[in-house]
Amino acid sequence: RMQANKVVIISDSCFSGALLRGGGETAPRISADDRQRTLLRLAQRRTRILISSGNNEPVEDTGGAGHSIFAKALLTGLEDMKHDAFSARELYDGYILPLVVGNADQEPQYRPIERSGHEGGDIVFVRQNQ
């Protein structure tokens, strides 16, 4: 019943994957030639997603240079992503999932929030020139 077009919950806590029900969805592939159009299409759809630091399991609180492994992976991705506009799914696939799974005994999750009005969109991050 939320009126917002974009909702993302990022949860870095033990058993945060328990907030999810159902299976994940296949991520759309974004080609270099079609990048802007694909991101615009994803940004226009209603989005309700959860990104969690683990599944239904304990997660590491340390190991990320003053942060949790999950938080460090998230921050690294936000800083190092090579594109000026990128989707939350690209952030998850390119940084969060491989950095967390490679460094801890936990598996982060990225899924739509079931029965919430999710229409297949995504969060699109756009860098601001400073």
Side-chain angles (χ1 to χ4, degrees), residues 62-90:
T62 59
H67 298 285
S68 70
I69 289 173
F70 173 81
K72 179 63 175 170
L74 174 66
L75 293 170
T76 298
L78 289 170
E79 291 173 0
D80 293 353
M81 185 65 74
K82 66 180 179 177
H83 300 287
D84 287 334
F86 53 91
S87 69
R89 185 63 193 229
E90 290 178 298

PDB file of all heavy atoms in Angstrom, residues 62-90:
ATOM      1  N   THR A  62      32.513  -8.341  11.408  1.00  0.00           N
ATOM      2  CA  THR A  62      33.803  -7.701  11.187  1.00  0.00           C
ATOM      3  C   THR A  62      34.389  -8.203   9.874  1.00  0.00           C
ATOM      4  O   THR A  62      33.721  -8.864   9.097  1.00  0.00           O
ATOM      5  CB  THR A  62      34.770  -8.038  12.341  1.00  0.00           C
ATOM      6  OG1 THR A  62      34.928  -9.462  12.395  1.00  0.00           O
ATOM      7  CG2 THR A  62      34.244  -7.536  13.664  1.00  0.00           C
ATOM      8  N   GLY A  63      35.657  -7.893   9.646  1.00  0.00           N
ATOM      9  CA  GLY A  63      36.361  -8.409   8.479  1.00  0.00           C
ATOM     10  C   GLY A  63      36.396  -7.463   7.307  1.00  0.00           C
ATOM     11  O   GLY A  63      36.952  -7.777   6.263  1.00  0.00           O
ATOM     12  N   GLY A  64      35.803  -6.277   7.452  1.00  0.00           N
ATOM     13  CA  GLY A  64      35.751  -5.329   6.351  1.00  0.00           C
ATOM     14  C   GLY A  64      36.403  -4.003   6.651  1.00  0.00           C
ATOM     15  O   GLY A  64      35.849  -2.954   6.334  1.00  0.00           O
ATOM     16  N   ALA A  65      37.565  -4.034   7.281  1.00  0.00           N
ATOM     17  CA  ALA A  65      38.319  -2.803   7.582  1.00  0.00           C
ATOM     18  C   ALA A  65      37.459  -1.792   8.339  1.00  0.00           C
ATOM     19  O   ALA A  65      37.248  -0.668   7.897  1.00  0.00           O
ATOM     20  CB  ALA A  65      38.882  -2.202   6.301  1.00  0.00           C
ATOM     21  N   GLY A  66      36.950  -2.214   9.491  1.00  0.00           N
ATOM     22  CA  GLY A  66      36.126  -1.340  10.309  1.00  0.00           C
ATOM     23  C   GLY A  66      34.639  -1.480  10.047  1.00  0.00           C
ATOM     24  O   GLY A  66      33.827  -0.848  10.708  1.00  0.00           O
ATOM     25  N   HIS A  67      34.288  -2.286   9.073  1.00  0.00           N
ATOM     26  CA  HIS A  67      32.894  -2.548   8.731  1.00  0.00           C
ATOM     27  C   HIS A  67      32.691  -4.058   8.707  1.00  0.00           C
ATOM     28  O   HIS A  67      33.641  -4.831   8.761  1.00  0.00           O
ATOM     29  CB  HIS A  67      32.563  -2.001   7.332  1.00  0.00           C
ATOM     30  CG  HIS A  67      32.718  -0.530   7.198  1.00  0.00           C
ATOM     31  ND1 HIS A  67      31.833   0.370   7.721  1.00  0.00           N
ATOM     32  CD2 HIS A  67      33.675   0.208   6.581  1.00  0.00           C
ATOM     33  CE1 HIS A  67      32.217   1.590   7.435  1.00  0.00           C
ATOM     34  NE2 HIS A  67      33.344   1.526   6.752  1.00  0.00           N
ATOM     35  N   SER A  68      31.453  -4.469   8.539  1.00  0.00           N
ATOM     36  CA  SER A  68      31.202  -5.880   8.264  1.00  0.00           C
ATOM     37  C   SER A  68      31.677  -6.173   6.840  1.00  0.00           C
ATOM     38  O   SER A  68      31.874  -5.253   6.035  1.00  0.00           O
ATOM     39  CB  SER A  68      29.708  -6.197   8.376  1.00  0.00           C
ATOM     40  OG  SER A  68      29.005  -5.593   7.305  1.00  0.00           O
ATOM     41  N   ILE A  69      31.853  -7.433   6.520  1.00  0.00           N
ATOM     42  CA  ILE A  69      32.252  -7.819   5.160  1.00  0.00           C
ATOM     43  C   ILE A  69      31.223  -7.336   4.150  1.00  0.00           C
ATOM     44  O   ILE A  69      31.561  -6.819   3.083  1.00  0.00           O
ATOM     45  CB  ILE A  69      32.459  -9.345   5.081  1.00  0.00           C
ATOM     46  CG1 ILE A  69      33.728  -9.712   5.856  1.00  0.00           C
ATOM     47  CG2 ILE A  69      32.523  -9.832   3.645  1.00  0.00           C
ATOM     48  CD1 ILE A  69      33.965 -11.189   6.013  1.00  0.00           C
ATOM     49  N   PHE A  70      29.950  -7.470   4.485  1.00  0.00           N
ATOM     50  CA  PHE A  70      28.869  -7.030   3.595  1.00  0.00           C
ATOM     51  C   PHE A  70      28.919  -5.513   3.380  1.00  0.00           C
ATOM     52  O   PHE A  70      28.859  -5.039   2.246  1.00  0.00           O
ATOM     53  CB  PHE A  70      27.519  -7.438   4.200  1.00  0.00           C
ATOM     54  CG  PHE A  70      26.333  -6.904   3.452  1.00  0.00           C
ATOM     55  CD1 PHE A  70      25.875  -7.535   2.306  1.00  0.00           C
ATOM     56  CD2 PHE A  70      25.661  -5.777   3.899  1.00  0.00           C
ATOM     57  CE1 PHE A  70      24.775  -7.044   1.617  1.00  0.00           C
ATOM     58  CE2 PHE A  70      24.560  -5.281   3.227  1.00  0.00           C
ATOM     59  CZ  PHE A  70      24.109  -5.916   2.078  1.00  0.00           C
ATOM     60  N   ALA A  71      29.039  -4.735   4.461  1.00  0.00           N
ATOM     61  CA  ALA A  71      29.078  -3.273   4.336  1.00  0.00           C
ATOM     62  C   ALA A  71      30.290  -2.833   3.520  1.00  0.00           C
ATOM     63  O   ALA A  71      30.188  -1.922   2.686  1.00  0.00           O
ATOM     64  CB  ALA A  71      29.097  -2.618   5.714  1.00  0.00           C
ATOM     65  N   LYS A  72      31.427  -3.477   3.731  1.00  0.00           N
ATOM     66  CA  LYS A  72      32.632  -3.144   2.965  1.00  0.00           C
ATOM     67  C   LYS A  72      32.429  -3.426   1.479  1.00  0.00           C
ATOM     68  O   LYS A  72      32.816  -2.622   0.627  1.00  0.00           O
ATOM     69  CB  LYS A  72      33.833  -3.921   3.511  1.00  0.00           C
ATOM     70  CG  LYS A  72      35.125  -3.651   2.770  1.00  0.00           C
ATOM     71  CD  LYS A  72      35.551  -2.205   2.885  1.00  0.00           C
ATOM     72  CE  LYS A  72      36.910  -2.006   2.221  1.00  0.00           C
ATOM     73  NZ  LYS A  72      37.256  -0.605   2.099  1.00  0.00           N
ATOM     74  N   ALA A  73      31.801  -4.545   1.156  1.00  0.00           N
ATOM     75  CA  ALA A  73      31.530  -4.887  -0.245  1.00  0.00           C
ATOM     76  C   ALA A  73      30.579  -3.859  -0.872  1.00  0.00           C
ATOM     77  O   ALA A  73      30.777  -3.426  -2.018  1.00  0.00           O
ATOM     78  CB  ALA A  73      30.948  -6.296  -0.349  1.00  0.00           C
ATOM     79  N   LEU A  74      29.561  -3.458  -0.144  1.00  0.00           N
ATOM     80  CA  LEU A  74      28.609  -2.449  -0.616  1.00  0.00           C
ATOM     81  C   LEU A  74      29.319  -1.120  -0.880  1.00  0.00           C
ATOM     82  O   LEU A  74      29.169  -0.522  -1.951  1.00  0.00           O
ATOM     83  CB  LEU A  74      27.487  -2.272   0.410  1.00  0.00           C
ATOM     84  CG  LEU A  74      26.481  -1.165   0.153  1.00  0.00           C
ATOM     85  CD1 LEU A  74      25.652  -1.461  -1.082  1.00  0.00           C
ATOM     86  CD2 LEU A  74      25.571  -0.988   1.368  1.00  0.00           C
ATOM     87  N   LEU A  75      30.109  -0.667   0.077  1.00  0.00           N
ATOM     88  CA  LEU A  75      30.831   0.597  -0.080  1.00  0.00           C
ATOM     89  C   LEU A  75      31.855   0.538  -1.209  1.00  0.00           C
ATOM     90  O   LEU A  75      32.002   1.492  -1.984  1.00  0.00           O
ATOM     91  CB  LEU A  75      31.517   0.973   1.234  1.00  0.00           C
ATOM     92  CG  LEU A  75      30.573   1.319   2.386  1.00  0.00           C
ATOM     93  CD1 LEU A  75      31.351   1.429   3.689  1.00  0.00           C
ATOM     94  CD2 LEU A  75      29.792   2.581   2.093  1.00  0.00           C
ATOM     95  N   THR A  76      32.550  -0.586  -1.317  1.00  0.00           N
ATOM     96  CA  THR A  76      33.521  -0.754  -2.407  1.00  0.00           C
ATOM     97  C   THR A  76      32.833  -0.667  -3.756  1.00  0.00           C
ATOM     98  O   THR A  76      33.308   0.012  -4.671  1.00  0.00           O
ATOM     99  CB  THR A  76      34.264  -2.100  -2.264  1.00  0.00           C
ATOM    100  OG1 THR A  76      34.982  -2.098  -1.027  1.00  0.00           O
ATOM    101  CG2 THR A  76      35.225  -2.332  -3.422  1.00  0.00           C
ATOM    102  N   GLY A  77      31.707  -1.339  -3.889  1.00  0.00           N
ATOM    103  CA  GLY A  77      30.966  -1.293  -5.143  1.00  0.00           C
ATOM    104  C   GLY A  77      30.491   0.105  -5.483  1.00  0.00           C
ATOM    105  O   GLY A  77      30.599   0.553  -6.638  1.00  0.00           O
ATOM    106  N   LEU A  78      29.961   0.819  -4.507  1.00  0.00           N
ATOM    107  CA  LEU A  78      29.494   2.189  -4.759  1.00  0.00           C
ATOM    108  C   LEU A  78      30.643   3.093  -5.191  1.00  0.00           C
ATOM    109  O   LEU A  78      30.476   3.960  -6.042  1.00  0.00           O
ATOM    110  CB  LEU A  78      28.810   2.754  -3.508  1.00  0.00           C
ATOM    111  CG  LEU A  78      27.457   2.148  -3.165  1.00  0.00           C
ATOM    112  CD1 LEU A  78      27.004   2.613  -1.784  1.00  0.00           C
ATOM    113  CD2 LEU A  78      26.409   2.481  -4.225  1.00  0.00           C
ATOM    114  N   GLU A  79      31.825   2.888  -4.636  1.00  0.00           N
ATOM    115  CA  GLU A  79      32.986   3.706  -4.986  1.00  0.00           C
ATOM    116  C   GLU A  79      33.631   3.293  -6.304  1.00  0.00           C
ATOM    117  O   GLU A  79      34.085   4.143  -7.070  1.00  0.00           O
ATOM    118  CB  GLU A  79      34.033   3.621  -3.878  1.00  0.00           C
ATOM    119  CG  GLU A  79      33.615   4.302  -2.600  1.00  0.00           C
ATOM    120  CD  GLU A  79      34.599   4.071  -1.454  1.00  0.00           C
ATOM    121  OE1 GLU A  79      35.624   3.372  -1.653  1.00  0.00           O
ATOM    122  OE2 GLU A  79      34.332   4.583  -0.360  1.00  0.00           O
ATOM    123  N   ASP A  80      33.702   1.990  -6.569  1.00  0.00           N
ATOM    124  CA  ASP A  80      34.505   1.482  -7.686  1.00  0.00           C
ATOM    125  C   ASP A  80      33.736   1.154  -8.960  1.00  0.00           C
ATOM    126  O   ASP A  80      34.355   0.833  -9.970  1.00  0.00           O
ATOM    127  CB  ASP A  80      35.263   0.224  -7.258  1.00  0.00           C
ATOM    128  CG  ASP A  80      36.338   0.506  -6.217  1.00  0.00           C
ATOM    129  OD1 ASP A  80      36.600   1.691  -5.923  1.00  0.00           O
ATOM    130  OD2 ASP A  80      36.906  -0.472  -5.695  1.00  0.00           O
ATOM    131  N   MET A  81      32.414   1.193  -8.937  1.00  0.00           N
ATOM    132  CA  MET A  81      31.638   0.848 -10.132  1.00  0.00           C
ATOM    133  C   MET A  81      32.119   1.706 -11.296  1.00  0.00           C
ATOM    134  O   MET A  81      32.270   2.921 -11.153  1.00  0.00           O
ATOM    135  CB  MET A  81      30.149   1.081  -9.862  1.00  0.00           C
ATOM    136  CG  MET A  81      29.259   0.636 -10.997  1.00  0.00           C
ATOM    137  SD  MET A  81      29.244  -1.134 -11.341  1.00  0.00           S
ATOM    138  CE  MET A  81      28.297  -1.741  -9.966  1.00  0.00           C
ATOM    139  N   LYS A  82      32.378   1.086 -12.429  1.00  0.00           N
ATOM    140  CA  LYS A  82      32.992   1.805 -13.543  1.00  0.00           C
ATOM    141  C   LYS A  82      32.029   2.701 -14.305  1.00  0.00           C
ATOM    142  O   LYS A  82      32.455   3.594 -15.018  1.00  0.00           O
ATOM    143  CB  LYS A  82      33.666   0.825 -14.502  1.00  0.00           C
ATOM    144  CG  LYS A  82      32.717  -0.097 -15.228  1.00  0.00           C
ATOM    145  CD  LYS A  82      33.473  -1.033 -16.141  1.00  0.00           C
ATOM    146  CE  LYS A  82      32.501  -1.976 -16.842  1.00  0.00           C
ATOM    147  NZ  LYS A  82      33.185  -2.842 -17.770  1.00  0.00           N
ATOM    148  N   HIS A  83      30.735   2.492 -14.160  1.00  0.00           N
ATOM    149  CA  HIS A  83      29.745   3.311 -14.868  1.00  0.00           C
ATOM    150  C   HIS A  83      29.244   4.437 -13.967  1.00  0.00           C
ATOM    151  O   HIS A  83      29.202   4.296 -12.745  1.00  0.00           O
ATOM    152  CB  HIS A  83      28.551   2.456 -15.297  1.00  0.00           C
ATOM    153  CG  HIS A  83      28.927   1.337 -16.210  1.00  0.00           C
ATOM    154  ND1 HIS A  83      29.274   1.532 -17.517  1.00  0.00           N
ATOM    155  CD2 HIS A  83      29.010   0.001 -15.989  1.00  0.00           C
ATOM    156  CE1 HIS A  83      29.561   0.369 -18.074  1.00  0.00           C
ATOM    157  NE2 HIS A  83      29.418  -0.574 -17.169  1.00  0.00           N
ATOM    158  N   ASP A  84      28.835   5.546 -14.569  1.00  0.00           N
ATOM    159  CA  ASP A  84      28.262   6.652 -13.807  1.00  0.00           C
ATOM    160  C   ASP A  84      26.808   6.401 -13.431  1.00  0.00           C
ATOM    161  O   ASP A  84      26.281   7.062 -12.539  1.00  0.00           O
ATOM    162  CB  ASP A  84      28.379   7.959 -14.589  1.00  0.00           C
ATOM    163  CG  ASP A  84      29.812   8.467 -14.629  1.00  0.00           C
ATOM    164  OD1 ASP A  84      30.592   8.140 -13.711  1.00  0.00           O
ATOM    165  OD2 ASP A  84      30.152   9.192 -15.578  1.00  0.00           O
ATOM    166  N   ALA A  85      26.151   5.480 -14.117  1.00  0.00           N
ATOM    167  CA  ALA A  85      24.788   5.047 -13.774  1.00  0.00           C
ATOM    168  C   ALA A  85      24.797   3.520 -13.773  1.00  0.00           C
ATOM    169  O   ALA A  85      25.307   2.894 -14.697  1.00  0.00           O
ATOM    170  CB  ALA A  85      23.780   5.580 -14.783  1.00  0.00           C
ATOM    171  N   PHE A  86      24.264   2.940 -12.696  1.00  0.00           N
ATOM    172  CA  PHE A  86      24.262   1.488 -12.581  1.00  0.00           C
ATOM    173  C   PHE A  86      23.101   1.052 -11.701  1.00  0.00           C
ATOM    174  O   PHE A  86      22.614   1.798 -10.871  1.00  0.00           O
ATOM    175  CB  PHE A  86      25.596   0.966 -12.032  1.00  0.00           C
ATOM    176  CG  PHE A  86      26.022   1.611 -10.735  1.00  0.00           C
ATOM    177  CD1 PHE A  86      25.667   1.058  -9.509  1.00  0.00           C
ATOM    178  CD2 PHE A  86      26.770   2.773 -10.738  1.00  0.00           C
ATOM    179  CE1 PHE A  86      26.063   1.655  -8.317  1.00  0.00           C
ATOM    180  CE2 PHE A  86      27.173   3.380  -9.553  1.00  0.00           C
ATOM    181  CZ  PHE A  86      26.810   2.815  -8.338  1.00  0.00           C
ATOM    182  N   SER A  87      22.674  -0.183 -11.921  1.00  0.00           N
ATOM    183  CA  SER A  87      21.536  -0.711 -11.167  1.00  0.00           C
ATOM    184  C   SER A  87      21.997  -1.366  -9.866  1.00  0.00           C
ATOM    185  O   SER A  87      23.154  -1.766  -9.731  1.00  0.00           O
ATOM    186  CB  SER A  87      20.777  -1.742 -12.015  1.00  0.00           C
ATOM    187  OG  SER A  87      21.557  -2.908 -12.184  1.00  0.00           O
ATOM    188  N   ALA A  88      21.077  -1.494  -8.934  1.00  0.00           N
ATOM    189  CA  ALA A  88      21.369  -2.198  -7.685  1.00  0.00           C
ATOM    190  C   ALA A  88      21.748  -3.644  -7.978  1.00  0.00           C
ATOM    191  O   ALA A  88      22.612  -4.208  -7.300  1.00  0.00           O
ATOM    192  CB  ALA A  88      20.167  -2.130  -6.744  1.00  0.00           C
ATOM    193  N   ARG A  89      21.139  -4.232  -9.000  1.00  0.00           N
ATOM    194  CA  ARG A  89      21.469  -5.615  -9.354  1.00  0.00           C
ATOM    195  C   ARG A  89      22.914  -5.719  -9.839  1.00  0.00           C
ATOM    196  O   ARG A  89      23.620  -6.672  -9.512  1.00  0.00           O
ATOM    197  CB  ARG A  89      20.503  -6.142 -10.415  1.00  0.00           C
ATOM    198  CG  ARG A  89      20.699  -7.601 -10.749  1.00  0.00           C
ATOM    199  CD  ARG A  89      20.409  -8.431  -9.508  1.00  0.00           C
ATOM    200  NE  ARG A  89      20.850  -9.778  -9.629  1.00  0.00           N
ATOM    201  CZ  ARG A  89      20.089 -10.830  -9.347  1.00  0.00           C
ATOM    202  NH1 ARG A  89      18.854 -10.674  -8.952  1.00  0.00           N
ATOM    203  NH2 ARG A  89      20.559 -12.035  -9.443  1.00  0.00           N
ATOM    204  N   GLU A  90      23.381  -4.744 -10.618  1.00  0.00           N
ATOM    205  CA  GLU A  90      24.776  -4.747 -11.066  1.00  0.00           C
ATOM    206  C   GLU A  90      25.718  -4.600  -9.871  1.00  0.00           C
ATOM    207  O   GLU A  90      26.762  -5.246  -9.831  1.00  0.00           O
ATOM    208  CB  GLU A  90      25.022  -3.610 -12.054  1.00  0.00           C
ATOM    209  CG  GLU A  90      24.359  -3.808 -13.393  1.00  0.00           C
ATOM    210  CD  GLU A  90      24.587  -2.626 -14.305  1.00  0.00           C
ATOM    211  OE1 GLU A  90      24.149  -1.509 -13.955  1.00  0.00           O
ATOM    212  OE2 GLU A  90      25.221  -2.820 -15.360  1.00  0.00           O
TER     213      GLU A  90
END
